[in-house]
Amino acid sequence: MEKELSMEMTPQEKFESVNILMKTLEEKYLMLGQVLSDIKRKGSFKIKGYKSFKNFVEVEYNLKSSLAAKIIKAFELYSEELDIDEAELKQIGFERLDMVRPFVEKAESYAEQEEWIECAKGMNTADLKDKIKEIRQQEKENKRSSKDLLIEQYLENMVTFFNCSRKELDFKLALYFQDADLDDLKEIIKERQRRFEDEATQGGQPV
């Protein structure tokens, strides 16, 4: 790819090239990203009377701004910032590069970035989706607090004990608490919450 291509083109030539490149997106996404990035950076869309880049791509080319943003980010990250060979990027393809882009962007080392790019290169789309899904699920698990775990454990135990649905459990709990002494209940909860937080802080397992 001619890296100076978009720099040499007039604004009108850039506008016309977008339509041409969109017809072969998977093959020409880097060039399209380069042109769109240049149009956005220089504000060339204002020549066409648009106040925002978002309106420009959506109205002028019927291109979702979210997709345009992904195409631009792919070019700026992989081609500009990481300077990866165009042939290698074409081999991987836009879809898989876009899938791993969030991980490449937040990677703490070049080695980690390379690892993700190798995953995109060596895995098919389905397997890559499964890998990313598994990692995101693990991240979600790691972010759960001890309170989240207690709630999940409590609800699971109660649903199993009463052999009912979650909605039916809410009804049973409402029946149980409707005549309870709320002042006494408040004090009990306060005391148990203090104990729970103390044990969680000490790294123990709250009861």
Side-chain angles (χ1 to χ4, degrees):
M1 179 177 59
E2 294 291 340
K3 291 204 170 185
E4 297 302 321
L5 175 63
S6 65
M7 305 295 290
E8 299 169 356
M9 297 165 66
T10 66
Q12 186 58 39
E13 287 173 330
K14 294 172 190 173
F15 299 146
E16 293 171 356
S17 70
V18 173
N19 275 321
I20 297 172
L21 294 169
M22 281 175 57
K23 294 177 182 178
T24 53
L25 174 60
E26 188 62 30
E27 180 183 351
K28 302 290 188 180
Y29 68 92
L30 291 172
M31 296 179 73
L32 179 57
Q34 181 182 5
V35 175
L36 289 176
S37 176
D38 192 65
I39 290 173
K40 184 178 181 181
R41 289 174 181 176
K42 294 182 177 179
S44 303
F45 55 87
K46 295 176 183 177
I47 297 174
K48 303 277 284 185
Y50 294 96
K51 294 183 178 180
S52 71
F53 180 76
K54 179 179 183 294
N55 287 339
F56 166 69
V57 294
E58 291 184 345
V59 175
E60 195 77 13
Y61 303 107
N62 193 30
L63 176 64
K64 289 185 178 181
S65 58
S66 57
L67 177 56
K70 290 179 179 180
I71 295 170
I72 290 172
K73 287 177 180 178
F75 164 71
E76 292 179 345
L77 175 63
Y78 297 113
S79 186
E80 281 193 331
E81 183 179 338
L82 299 179
D83 195 27
I84 300 174
D85 182 70
E86 179 191 0
E88 182 178 354
L89 294 176
K90 282 185 176 180
Q91 177 188 351
I92 299 172
F94 172 69
E95 183 179 9
R96 281 178 289 166
L97 285 174
D98 184 60
M99 289 168 62
V100 302
R101 179 176 49 78
F103 299 98
V104 175
E105 287 177 333
K106 70 179 183 181
E108 297 182 355
S109 66
Y110 183 66
E112 188 178 349
Q113 291 177 327
E114 280 192 321
E115 183 179 344
W116 273 109
I117 293 169
E118 285 300 316
C119 284
K121 184 193 299 185
M123 302 176 73
N124 61 45
T125 302
D127 289 342
L128 187 58
K129 282 182 179 178
D130 288 340
K131 176 181 176 68
I132 290 174
K133 182 179 179 181
E134 182 180 336
I135 289 174
R136 292 199 184 282
Q137 183 61 37
Q138 186 59 52
E139 289 177 343
K140 185 178 178 182
E141 292 285 334
N142 292 340
K143 287 181 180 178
R144 290 192 304 170
S145 68
S146 54
K147 289 182 180 180
D148 294 326
L149 294 173
L150 178 65
I151 292 169
E152 290 179 14
Q153 183 182 32
Y154 163 78
L155 292 175
E156 182 180 349
N157 290 342
M158 293 294 282
V159 166
T160 301
F161 179 80
F162 286 108
N163 191 26
C164 64
S165 66
R166 179 69 177 81
K167 184 176 181 180
E168 182 66 17
L169 177 61
D170 287 340
F171 172 67
K172 294 181 185 300
L173 291 174
L175 290 175
Y176 178 78
F177 286 110
Q178 67 177 347
D179 295 324
D181 187 320
L182 297 183
D183 288 331
D184 285 348
L185 185 59
K186 184 177 180 180
E187 291 304 314
I188 292 172
I189 291 175
K190 273 182 168 182
E191 190 278 327
R192 291 187 179 179
Q193 184 170 352
R194 281 194 296 267
R195 185 176 64 183
F196 174 87
E197 291 174 352
D198 287 344
E199 292 177 349
T201 300
Q202 295 168 8
Q205 294 296 323
V207 180

